[in-house]
């Protein structure tokens, strides 16, 4: 996150730390219910629908270098079973902890005389989250926590049997479901046996056996 980023206080995932001040050891507890942002979860697999309620419980602790945020997000996730493709829902509870740093302090909480211009320090800053004007944005932390808390391969139930590979029927609904397999090596023999049975029936009914037309020439 860029150091010159500005957070919108109207965003429900942006929080104010002014009440904490910069007094190490100061604590603040917050609860907030928000509407889930778009694409919250594992895209194409399972996630919290956009606009669904997400309950947040946060603990903000002021430390030398910034504010340590510890919290839990609770919501209802939706997706489909990877085995039988049926829709499913599960209760999501995602825990997280993240440090939001003061942009003018180093990793020991000391105020820096000048903005960092060192290449190595700039690279480190790209992986850090910062407080700007007393505000921090929880959205990137929430997104990471939700992804980690969700199953990569959700199932409707642990013993889901999936779908029949031949007809697509849900096997959990009919555990005895099966198809009689015919060995193609016997198929020709079964056809031959059927032909012989038909010939025997013709003889018993008095019909002349079928024969090919004669090709011999009559002698004069």
């Amino acid at each position: 996150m860029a150091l010159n980023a500005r957070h919108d206080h109207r965003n429900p995932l942006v929080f104010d730390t002014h009440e904490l001040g910069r007094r190490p050891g100061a604590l603040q507890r917050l609860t907030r219910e928000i509407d889930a942002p778009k694409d919250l979860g594992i895209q194409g697999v399972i996630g919290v629908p956009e606009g669904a309620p997400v309950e947040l419980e946060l603990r903000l602790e002021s430390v030398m270098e910034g504010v340590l945020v510890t919290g839990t997000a609770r919501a209802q996730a939706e997706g489909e079973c990877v085995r039988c493709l049926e829709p499913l829902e599960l209760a999501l509870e995602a825990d997280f902890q993240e440090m939001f740093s003061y942009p003018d302090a180093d990793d020991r909480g000391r105020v820096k005389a000048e903005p960092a211009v060192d290449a190595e320090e700039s690279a480190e800053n790209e992986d850090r989250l910062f407080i700007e004007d007393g505000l921090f944005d929880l959205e990137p932390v929430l997104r990471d926590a939700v992804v980690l808390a969700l199953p990569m391969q959700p199932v409707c139930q642990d013993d889901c049997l999936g779908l029949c590979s031949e007809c697509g029927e849900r096997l959990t609904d009919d555990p005895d479901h099966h198809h009689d397999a015919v060995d193609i090596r016997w198929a020709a023999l079964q056809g031959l046996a059927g032909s012989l049975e038909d010939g025997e029936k013709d003889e018993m009914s008095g019909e002349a056996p079928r024969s090919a037309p004669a090709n011999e020439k009559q002698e004069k």
Side-chain angles (χ1 to χ4, degrees):
M1 182 181 295
L3 290 179
N4 59 356
R6 289 295 178 265
H7 303 314
D8 185 351
H9 69 277
R10 295 168 297 182
N11 183 337
L13 283 169
V14 169
F15 292 82
D16 194 331
T17 66
H18 283 101
E19 186 175 325
L20 283 175
R22 295 182 68 160
R23 304 183 306 276
L27 293 175
Q28 183 180 9
R29 297 183 184 275
L30 299 172
T31 58
R32 182 178 296 183
E33 183 175 297
I34 65 162
D35 294 337
K38 185 178 179 181
D39 299 329
L40 183 61
I42 305 172
Q43 203 164 3
V45 179
I46 188 170
V48 182
E50 183 177 4
V54 179
E55 297 179 1
L56 298 174
E57 291 184 4
L58 303 180
R59 178 178 183 273
L60 280 55
E61 180 180 0
S62 179
V63 294
M64 290 293 292
E65 63 269 29
V67 175
L68 180 65
V69 178
T70 305
T72 301
R74 297 183 180 88
Q76 198 74 9
E78 298 179 2
E80 68 176 26
C81 177
V82 295
R83 297 178 187 170
C84 69
L85 308 182
E86 286 291 309
L88 61 84
E89 293 185 355
L90 61 83
L92 167 71
E93 184 169 309
D95 297 322
F96 52 85
Q97 185 174 73
E98 186 67 40
M99 172 66 71
F100 289 86
S101 303
Y102 296 123
D104 60 349
D106 60 19
D107 57 3
R108 294 184 180 180
R110 297 173 301 190
V111 176
K112 293 180 288 189
E114 297 179 358
V117 294
D118 181 80
E120 182 177 349
E121 188 170 353
S122 297
E124 291 178 357
N125 286 340
E126 292 181 2
D127 298 326
R128 297 170 65 188
L129 296 174
F130 290 91
I131 295 172
E132 289 292 335
D133 299 327
L135 305 174
F136 68 86
D137 185 358
L138 190 67
E139 183 169 342
V141 177
L142 175 64
R143 288 189 177 279
D144 289 346
V146 167
V147 168
L148 292 174
L150 288 172
M152 294 296 294
Q153 294 187 321
V155 292
C156 58
Q157 56 191 60
D158 292 339
D159 57 351
C160 176
L161 299 176
L163 301 176
C164 173
S165 59
E166 294 190 32
C167 67
E169 183 173 338
R170 188 168 182 262
L171 297 177
T172 304
D173 297 334
D174 183 10
D176 297 327
H177 174 83
H178 69 281
H179 295 269
D180 293 330
V182 178
D183 192 328
I184 59 174
R185 294 173 295 179
W186 292 102
L189 293 177
Q190 290 176 349
L192 178 59
S195 299
L196 293 175
E197 289 177 1
D198 290 341
E200 292 176 355
K201 290 178 182 178
D202 290 343
E203 291 179 0
M204 294 180 64
S205 63
E207 296 181 2
R210 300 173 186 175
S211 60
N215 292 325
E216 297 179 358
K217 295 182 178 179
Q218 297 180 356
E219 293 183 0
K220 294 181 180 180

